Structure formats: structure tokens, C-alpha cells
Amino acid sequence: MELKTQPFVKWAGGKRQLLEKLEARMPESYGKYYEPFIGGGALLLDVHPQKAVINDNNEQLLNAYRQIKENSEQVIQEVCILDEVPCDKERYYEQRDKYNKKIAANQLDAECAALMIWINKHCFNGLYRVNSKGAFNVPYNNKKTGLSIDIDNIRNIAEYLKKGDIEIRQGDFEEACADVKKGDFVYFDSPYVPISETANFTDYTKDGFSLDDHKRLAVLFKKLADAGAFIMLSNHNVPLVHELYSGYNIEEVDVRRAINSDASKRSGKEVIITNY
Ligand SMILES: C[S@@+](CC[C@H](N)C(=O)[O-])C[C@H]1O[C@@H](n2cnc3c(N)ncnc32)[C@H](O)[C@@H]1O
């Protein structure tokens, strides 16, 4: 029976709204599946490729994927323990401090993954942001929420990650693509090019992703496309993106966004770019 899985975290730029459109544009068959900016993994967890490389530069997020793969029952148990006490402001900040102590001590274990997942459900808009010292600093969302995990979903994700040939990497997107071969499929969902700043190409950086990173990504797209891989990329529908990927197929699509705190920015146009 086909497993049903979905993201275990709410993630900025999550692709659940675009899933159908992305899947309709994937090649019918391909070698290995690569997702170098995995985030919440909406596409991976819907498509379930049998051979995949997933990557992100967020160490804590990748620890959560690894712990779910190797230690799912312990992660579930730890989240359930956290959920036993209803969350309020005091409890949120107490657990956030505990999480930051684990980050500082580099304790990448099941408890750390459970804290990361629990905090994602209780922090403002599911954001992930750290200060210059690497401490997580997103405030409480002031909401009473129910359970922080769907236990069956976590078990199904664990089964999928274990059964398939799914390699979990952690680092920069370029390095994660070093072994992409002809016939492989790569889906790039980098942090967005900001909608506003694109009129002048100044030195903006959003979510730690600079203009130079966007240019580096476009160079990598071309290199992998020239090597015969199938490449799909999504981003905002802004002039910079059209300029960086001119010559490839650029399709404009409508999307509804839930994570933006500004309601007026919750819908807009994005593009899906392919080389095939
Ligand atoms: C738009 S999100 C991906 C969303 C994902 N497709 C989903 O469905 O949730 C972009 C991701 O890129 C990661 N990231 C930012 N800079 C990176 C870099 N240089 N290399 C690899 N990952 C990076 C962020 O941590 C974030 O998870």
C-alpha cells in the first residue's frame, strides 16, 4: 500500500499549495531525485521517489529528518511528553531556552529533534530564525494548539526514509549536487528573490540568501542542464528570475500563501522553470 506522508513542520516557502502544478511538470521517469533545499519537503513527501538525495543548510532541520529516520519512536515519545503540559508563554520560552542549550552543546539527538518539532508548532508563523550566535529567537505564537505531531505521519515518513534509498546531506546546495548525473532530476526551491527589492539589483540578502547566491544557483542550473539532468526550479515571478533563467521554459503560476503575516502578501504569482 502506498504510504501517505506530508511535512512534519510548517516551513516558510512550503510548497503544499503548488504540489499539483509541480508534479504535473516533473519528468515521467528519471534516475535519482535531488532536493538541495528540502525545507518541509512537501514535494518529496508526496512523490516518494525511491532513490533520493535531500539537503538543506539548516542543521537542526536535517537532524529532525535523521532522527525520524533512525529513531522515530523516541522522537514521537519525546514530543508526546512535551505535549503533556499545555503550552503558554512561560512554557514556550522555557523550552526554547532548553533547545538553545542543546544547540550550543551540539547535542543533535532525538530530544533535540522533538524540541525543534514542538517549537515549530508553537512559534510565530512556524518561522525558523537564529541570531548571530546561532540561538533560535522566534517568539511564541500565543495560540493554544493541540498535538504537535501526527504520529502516523511520523511513522510513515520513517518507513519511507528507511525503505527507500534516501541520503540525507547537510550543507550548501552546490556541494549537494556534486554527483548529479545525466537523467537525474533536481528540484531547486531556494529562498525567494524578494518581490520588492528587485527593481534595482542592490546587495540584498533575504533569509541568508544573497543576490550572489541566486546567481550561483543560476550557474549551477545551467551546468546541470548542460550535463543532461532534468532541472525544475520555483521562485517569485520577478524580473531578476526571468533574467537569470532566460532561454529556459518559464511558466507563471498563481499561488496562495498561508505563512505570510501580512494578509495582502498571501497570494501572488510564482514561476516554475524547467530545462526540458
Ligand atoms: C523555500 S525553502 C524550501 C521549502 C520546501 N520546498 C518546502 O516544501 O517546505 C528554502 C530552504 O533553503 C534552505 N537554504 C538556505 N540557504 C541554503 C544554502 N545555501 N544551501 C542549502 N540550503 C539552503 C533554507 O534552510 C530553507 O529550508
Side-chain angles (χ1 to χ4, degrees):
M1 201 189 81
E2 177 67 20
L3 291 172
K4 266 205 167 314
T5 59
Q6 57 181 29
F8 58 90
V9 281
K10 180 174 176 181
W11 210 250
K15 283 294 162 299
R16 290 178 71 175
Q17 306 293 337
L18 262 189
L19 271 184
E20 251 177 58
K21 290 173 174 131
L22 291 169
E23 287 178 25
R25 288 161 180 80
M26 284 177 70
E28 268 178 30
S29 65
Y30 49 87
K32 216 177 227 191
Y33 174 108
Y34 282 75
E35 208 179 327
F37 303 94
I38 188 71
L43 187 63
L44 175 96
L45 294 174
D46 203 54
V47 173
H48 299 142
Q50 285 311 302
K51 289 183 183 175
V53 171
I54 62 172
N55 177 79
D56 201 285
N57 69 352
N58 185 320
E59 191 177 28
Q60 297 301 325
L61 175 68
L62 271 290
N63 177 54
Y65 278 98
R66 284 204 185 97
Q67 295 297 333
I68 288 174
K69 181 175 184 178
E70 289 154 21
N71 259 330
S72 55
E73 290 310 310
Q74 204 186 331
V75 174
I76 290 169
Q77 199 187 347
E78 299 276 2
V79 178
C80 290
I81 291 170
L82 285 164
D83 275 341
E84 272 171 14
V85 181
C87 189
D88 59 13
K89 203 169 178 181
E90 192 187 343
R91 174 139 176 98
Y92 175 76
Y93 288 106
E94 179 190 283
Q95 297 307 316
R96 195 180 80 171
D97 279 353
K98 190 169 162 193
Y99 178 55
N100 279 327
K101 286 196 181 105
K102 289 190 78 78
I103 294 179
N106 207 22
Q107 285 172 349
L108 291 166
D109 52 18
E111 189 189 24
C112 195
L115 277 165
M116 190 263 172
I117 294 167
W118 183 89
I119 285 171
N120 176 265
K121 291 290 179 303
H122 294 92
C123 72
F124 182 72
N125 264 344
L127 291 176
Y128 201 96
R129 192 183 60 207
V130 293
N131 66 18
S132 58
K133 292 180 186 134
F136 181 84
N137 64 5
V138 178
Y140 180 44
N141 65 7
N142 278 312
K143 277 186 209 152
K144 298 232 182 302
T145 44
L147 290 181
S148 300
I149 45 166
D150 171 343
I151 294 177
D152 288 340
N153 184 46
I154 298 280
R155 289 196 174 126
N156 288 346
I157 294 173
E159 194 176 330
Y160 163 62
L161 294 175
K162 272 192 284 210
K163 259 202 339 211
D165 174 2
I166 318 296
E167 193 189 326
I168 303 175
R169 298 182 180 165
Q170 192 251 312
D172 184 63
F173 66 89
E174 210 172 334
E175 217 174 292
C177 291
D179 53 2
V180 170
K181 294 188 181 55
K182 183 175 178 186
D184 288 343
F185 169 68
V186 187
Y187 172 46
F188 287 122
D189 184 25
S190 72
Y192 286 108
V193 169
I195 293 179
S196 47
E197 280 100 321
T198 47
N200 62 16
F201 287 27
T202 48
D203 184 26
Y204 63 78
T205 296
K206 189 168 173 282
D207 304 328
F209 211 76
S210 66
L211 177 58
D212 277 348
D213 288 323
H214 283 289
K215 289 181 178 166
R216 201 158 59 85
L217 178 57
V219 170
L220 179 63
F221 184 112
K222 180 170 190 327
K223 183 179 145 201
L224 300 177
D226 289 349
F230 300 107
I231 320 291
M232 181 166 79
L233 179 144
S234 46
N235 208 319
H236 279 146
N237 185 20
V238 292
L240 174 64
V241 173
H242 283 266
E243 181 164 316
L244 289 175
Y245 297 97
S246 71
Y248 294 107
N249 312 311
I250 305 182
E251 284 183 78
E252 299 181 5
V253 292
D254 284 315
V255 71
R256 197 170 51 81
R257 290 246 145 272
I259 205 165
N260 204 309
S261 52
D262 177 350
S264 67
K265 293 186 185 154
R266 282 185 196 155
S267 70
K269 277 220 184 291
E270 301 205 1
V271 288
I272 299 177
I273 302 171
T274 54
N275 69 320
Y276 48 88

